[in-house]
Amino acid sequence: MIIDCHGHYTTAPKALGDYRQRQTARLGEPGAPALRLDFRIGDDEIRDSLEPHQLATQRQRGVDMTVFSPTAGAMAHHVGNAETSAHWAQACNDLVHRVTQLYPLEYAGVCQLPQSPRASLANCVAELERCVTGLGFVGCNINPDPSDGYWTDPPMTDRHWYPLYEKMVELDVPGMVHVSCSCNPNFHHTGAHYLNGDTAVFMQLVLSDLFKDFPTLRLVIPHGGGAVPYHWGRYRGLAQQLGRPPMPELLRNVFFDTCVYHQSGINLLLDVIPVENVLFASEIHGAVKGVDPQTGFHFDDTRRYVDAVHGLAAPDLHKVFELNARRVYPRLDALLAAQGR
Amino acid sequence: MIIDCHGHYTTAPKALGDYRQRQTARLGEPGAPALRLDFRIGDDEIRDSLEPHQLATQRQRGVDMTVFSPTAGAMAHHVGNAETSAHWAQACNDLVHRVTQLYPLEYAGVCQLPQSPRASLANCVAELERCVTGLGFVGCNINPDPSDGYWTDPPMTDRHWYPLYEKMVELDVPGMVHVSCSCNPNFHHTGAHYLNGDTAVFMQLVLSDLFKDFPTLRLVIPHGGGAVPYHWGRYRGLAQQLGRPPMPELLRNVFFDTCVYHQSGINLLLDVIPVENVLFASEIHGAVKGVDPQTGFHFDDTRRYVDAVHGLAAPDLHKVFELNARRVYPRLDALLAAQGR
């Protein structure tokens, strides 16, 4: 089977975005109480938002299961405060849960965390627990920059983040390191901030003993690892020069997805990164939606690139398409096993 | 001949760094006047700083000419104010000029600009003019983030930068987009900030009509273009989706160097980027100084990787090693021509 480990609910019904607008508007009203969830979305609306869009594409491309989370760019953790983020994360996560209930064979849930700049991670721990134990989610997205473009929070290797990691380890769920929107005019979100977030965090991990403290913590760096595989020699060299462990040690806990939208990039990814550390992903319908005039296929049709990598034997393809995801996301594996898959 | 378009004077005599320390310490003394250049360095000190180090390596690798600038990580534009940066840039540029006088066949100068966060670029224009017309320099380095890690200045496509571009066009010199150190604990300088700066600025250029205003302005994105070539499909797709011109149009003005420290990365760079847009570079002795245990050669020995790219014909190699640099840096070409090369 083929598991896509990186999908966002980018086609969610309009009522979700409308709530967010009302919630944000309320922040500007002095003394007004925060706006809790105040909307309803019917099952048919959810079906209509997926069937002709993400689900159609997924089926067409032969992807069996997508690890599905709220839209990353809309997490916008800089907005309001921790309470704002709590309400918003709950709204988004509950909706993803509805999706997984309607399409249990096609979607498994990953949650958005109610992060807020410089805020404690206590409410993130609570929301993670609610989503995993209550809603059957299999992982979480972690925004390494809740300021959304100014990077004013501590690095992800700082003890500030440890309560979240403790809960992730306890629940045995991985995290995908995924920034949100960018308020900084220097950084286009999907054209710069996303990739830069991936790159920055990988280097934080190179420099840190985080995984000595959390030997079973697993982090997925999306978008093919940002700039990292392309500069793999730089990272191997820097680690050596700085007296840090060699890459294989870090790769016990760090994984990359295949959201790289051309053949040469995927070739490089699978040339330099061990096949055990690469998880198939497309991020549909995500950052890049069009058809590549050079190939006649969608840029984000990453299955074609992975299938076309020279020298990748069938057992390796099996790892990239399925086995790695089941290993990194044990709760996904359990969910699939319970379905007889 | 072989031209390396990206070298920094990282082995400069200690007196330079000592001056910087005194200059910086003076900033903490209330009411004290700024410390102008107060040191002398002898010719032999310069020779000793280069002969057994950068020059030995350069000769050993068969590199004829290096386009040489002050250490990028030490520009540290966030320190002090515009006057601080003016004195520091002058000290660094004058020393590079001394190098080019002692070794006119091996080094051509590129200047550091006296940038300062949120400051006008007027003094950068003046320093550029002094270095190019007075000292025979052939280009400049431009720091897209004078805050050194917090990105609080306008994007490089903002009109804020136009006075500098006007002078660059008038003098017909290109700029290398090169960040400096990082004060932000989220960003390791050579392991994250450098590559992220490259990536961020490339996307700024994708989004902007800068080169309509400056059709002959040329910018070199170092470190193999950050994450860009690895994600070339993403950029082609984003440009198409956002209604921006296709990549060939941007590549009339934008170039990448070959500071990518492993074979797979260089293969990808020369696979996806037109050969006319790739300039040979190593950045010795720079970010990554060690020997790659996988090859037995230095990580930064990029000539080996370029030589080993499959399918690159001799005329293409000639472009990468020499002709592109002579075209992008016309004052370097004139300097070489005057030397009968």
Side-chain angles (χ1 to χ4, degrees), chain B residues 247-278:
Chain B
M247 288 299 135
E249 192 163 316
L250 194 58
L251 292 181
R252 290 203 291 254
N253 303 83
V254 178
F255 304 84
F256 302 104
D257 80 7
T258 65
C259 290
V260 178
Y261 297 149
H262 63 146
Q263 188 66 52
S264 291
I266 293 287
N267 290 351
L268 177 136
L269 172 65
L270 283 160
D271 183 34
V272 302
I273 305 298
V275 73
E276 287 74 18
N277 290 78
V278 179

Side-chain angles (χ1 to χ4, degrees), chain B residues 79-287:
Chain B
V79 172
N81 53 32
E83 187 183 33
T84 316
S85 286
H87 293 154
W88 177 230
Q90 190 191 334
C92 293
N93 291 333
D94 285 356
L95 196 59
V96 165
H97 177 241
R98 299 268 305 281
V99 170
T100 65
Q101 296 305 104
L102 288 172
Y103 298 99
L105 300 178
E106 287 92 348
Y107 292 112
V110 152
C111 66
Q112 167 178 334
L113 297 174
Q115 298 176 241
S116 193
R118 290 170 298 282
S120 143
L121 287 158
N123 63 340
C124 294
V125 170
E127 179 66 1
L128 178 65
E129 177 130 42
R130 181 183 83 89
C131 290
V132 173
T133 62
L135 308 182
F137 281 28
V138 303
C140 60
N141 290 335
I142 311 173
N143 181 355
D145 173 30
S147 79
D148 293 331
Y150 290 98
W151 293 88
T152 49
D153 273 52
M156 279 189 68
T157 48
D158 189 274
R159 298 189 75 86
H160 167 75
W161 299 85
Y162 275 29
L164 176 61
Y165 300 150
E166 283 161 10
K167 182 54 71 175
M168 289 167 65
V169 165
E170 179 196 319
L171 297 171
D172 203 13
V173 293
M176 180 173 275
V177 178
H178 202 309
V179 295
S180 183
C181 58
S182 166
C183 308
N184 189 326
N186 283 284
F187 304 138
H188 184 269
H189 63 309
T190 54
H193 190 43
Y194 278 31
L195 306 177
N196 289 357
D198 305 335
T199 306
V201 171
F202 183 82
M203 190 62 198
Q204 292 171 14
L205 299 173
V206 168
L207 295 172
S208 153
D209 286 330
L210 177 65
F211 299 117
K212 283 197 177 149
D213 289 341
F214 298 100
T216 62
L217 180 67
R218 297 175 303 282
L219 297 175
V220 179
I221 314 270
H223 319 110
V228 172
Y230 175 46
H231 288 281
W232 198 236
R234 173 177 287 257
Y235 289 97
R236 290 197 293 107
L238 283 174
Q240 176 177 294
Q241 183 170 317
L242 298 168
R244 300 298 309 161
M247 288 299 135
E249 192 163 316
L250 194 58
L251 292 181
R252 290 203 291 254
N253 303 83
V254 178
F255 304 84
F256 302 104
D257 80 7
T258 65
C259 290
V260 178
Y261 297 149
H262 63 146
Q263 188 66 52
S264 291
I266 293 287
N267 290 351
L268 177 136
L269 172 65
L270 283 160
D271 183 34
V272 302
I273 305 298
V275 73
E276 287 74 18
N277 290 78
V278 179
L279 277 64
F280 177 71
S282 306
E283 197 172 358
I284 62 160
H285 297 166

Side-chain angles (χ1 to χ4, degrees), chain A residues 196-212:
Chain A
N196 289 357
D198 305 335
T199 307
V201 171
F202 183 82
M203 189 63 197
Q204 293 172 12
L205 299 173
V206 168
L207 295 172
S208 154
D209 286 331
L210 176 66
F211 299 117
K212 284 195 177 151

